Amino acid sequence: MTTQTLPSYIDPARVGPWGMFLEQLERVEPHLGPLAEWLDTLRHPKRCLIVDVPVRMDDGRIRHFEGFRVQHNLSRGPGKGGVRFHPDVTLSEVMALSAWMTVKNAAVNLPYGGAKGGVKVNPAELSRPELERLTRRYTSEIGSIIGPDRDIPAPDVNTNEQIMAWMMDTYSINQGSTQTGVVTGKPISMGGSLGRKDATGRGCYVVAREAMKRLGIAMEGARVAIQGFGNVGNAAARIFHDAGATIVAIQDVAGTIYNKDGIDPHALGRFLGGNPRALLDYPAAEAIANADFWGVDCDILLPAALEKQITEANADRIKARLIVEGANGPTTPLAEDILLGKGCTVLPDVLANAGGVTVSYFEWVQNASSFFWTEKDINDRLDRVLSEAFEGIWQVATSRRVNLRTATYITACSRVLEARALRGLYP
């Protein structure tokens, strides 16, 4: 990556996650043929909005928080991507996440571009009224660039259906009419979709299942290690378990637990009762060191936490035959090289965790038509969309003799850049 590819507002000394995306583009560029002429389009986000989010705290003070909304590319449709509340949110991170959304949406052929948002805040330090005021003010500040046909936010790290309800209500009040389609991941009572909560974890299972068929890994008894037991990891653990796999290790904020004979994620969820800090107290598994998680004997490793978790420092310890990236950007490019060199198959995030945005698309369609589907309809359609997307990408990987990430980027970038080329430049 050269500094010439960096916008002036990104410090070359601290490129952050955006640099990881740029490196991924460099790796796919030789495979794009004439469309490579347009690749710089993806190196420059279409729009970056940085906003001040002033909030009156419960004690009367006014605190200011940094907020972001980045629309990376809108060539194929309105922006789509989540909003995260986290103290480590940066512009570079939100840019990278929005770019991965561009690739993800195109990879599974959804009619969306890529977008992402965030506020630099630790929501655990806020009271519920403070969190509501923060959410509503942030929504008002980005209100000029979002909308059902412009950019549709969704939940991400530390945001949930309640946050989406506040965002929808704020936007609707400012518009003067109820606009259910402005966000997805809403409560069912406000136009949310059945199946949305487990969609990302279910999507991880679907693409893993398809890969396992081709790799000769039986689902029954397959040993699975999962990093993260939040929404994605919890759902994936339950669905893998119910399909006959054995969950041997789970790592979350409190630490890591292991049981070679299997951990029942349903029982673990009931034990935790919404308190992840109690993980190490679970009596049906033993606590192990966090560093030892990466060396657990398993067939499938599913990182479902934050980015840059699998690095060159721990990649060589991993024994899994299949990595399923439930999180965004959990594997660095150098770590992936190590894994591929060991014969490990990596299912990239832009395919593996696309279940969430796929069901968000279903929610958006249902909101537009005011006609709602059953949960079975949702799950069946999700399975079909992801299975077909995986089959196409597997064929590209096989015919081009490239890994699955490169095949996914070839597929997605070709779709985005073809749309960009056909639309041309105006004026």
Side-chain angles (χ1 to χ4, degrees), residues 129-258:
E130 290 169 339
L131 184 61
E132 179 177 354
R133 292 193 289 270
L134 174 87
T135 301
R136 291 185 181 276
R137 184 60 188 236
Y138 169 70
T139 306
S140 293
E141 294 294 344
I142 67 169
S144 60
I145 67 168
I146 64 173
D149 58 354
R150 305 183 73 184
D151 182 359
I152 306 107
D156 196 70
V157 175
N158 291 331
T159 56
N160 54 26
E161 62 179 25
Q162 176 61 78
I163 300 295
M164 294 303 107
W166 288 329
M167 290 189 73
M168 190 214 81
D169 182 65
T170 304
Y171 181 84
S172 296
I173 289 171
N174 289 338
Q175 293 294 309
S177 62
T178 298
Q179 302 280 329
T180 57
V182 67
V183 297
T184 57
K186 303 180 296 296
I188 299 297
S189 61
M190 296 178 61
S193 177
L194 297 169
R196 175 62 181 85
K197 185 175 181 181
D198 285 355
T200 306
R202 183 175 297 279
C204 289
Y205 165 78
V206 169
V207 294
R209 181 197 67 204
E210 296 303 304
M212 292 166 71
K213 290 177 185 177
R214 291 157 178 83
L215 296 171
I217 304 174
M219 182 65 71
E220 187 69 34
R223 297 160 300 167
V224 183
I226 298 178
Q227 186 197 36
F229 201 63
N231 184 47
V232 178
N234 186 312
R238 286 185 279 106
I239 296 166
F240 271 104
H241 171 82
D242 294 347
T246 302
I247 311 302
V248 295
I250 292 175
Q251 183 179 95
D252 207 357
V253 291
T256 305
I257 58 173
Y258 172 78

Side-chain angles (χ1 to χ4, degrees), residues 84-163:
R84 60 177 50 186
F85 290 172
H86 195 276
D88 295 332
V89 164
T90 64
L91 177 59
S92 169
E93 179 188 48
V94 178
M95 285 168 58
L97 291 167
S98 71
W100 287 323
M101 286 303 303
T102 295
V103 176
K104 185 184 304 182
N105 288 323
V108 296
N109 212 15
L110 300 180
Y112 287 139
K116 206 76 175 187
V119 178
K120 193 177 184 67
V121 61
N122 182 358
E125 297 176 352
L126 303 184
S127 68
R128 183 182 170 90
E130 290 169 339
L131 184 61
E132 179 177 354
R133 292 193 289 270
L134 174 87
T135 301
R136 291 185 181 276
R137 184 60 188 236
Y138 169 70
T139 306
S140 293
E141 294 294 344
I142 67 169
S144 60
I145 67 168
I146 64 173
D149 58 354
R150 305 183 73 184
D151 182 359
I152 306 107
D156 196 70
V157 175
N158 291 331
T159 56
N160 54 26
E161 62 179 25
Q162 176 61 78
I163 300 295

Side-chain angles (χ1 to χ4, degrees), residues 282-338:
Y282 185 58
E286 63 174 310
I288 63 173
N290 283 339
D292 291 340
F293 171 81
W294 304 107
V296 164
D297 195 9
C298 62
D299 301 297
I300 301 162
L301 177 64
L302 200 160
L306 295 172
E307 56 263 20
K308 294 188 176 181
Q309 297 300 298
I310 301 177
T311 68
E312 52 269 37
N314 59 22
D316 204 42
R317 299 187 61 193
I318 291 173
K319 300 174 182 176
R321 292 178 59 190
L322 179 64
I323 307 291
V324 183
E325 294 188 330
N328 291 310
T331 310
T332 66
L334 286 178
E336 184 165 10
D337 290 341
I338 294 170

Side-chain angles (χ1 to χ4, degrees), residues 17 27 29 230 318:
R27 294 184 177 208
E29 186 168 9
I318 291 173

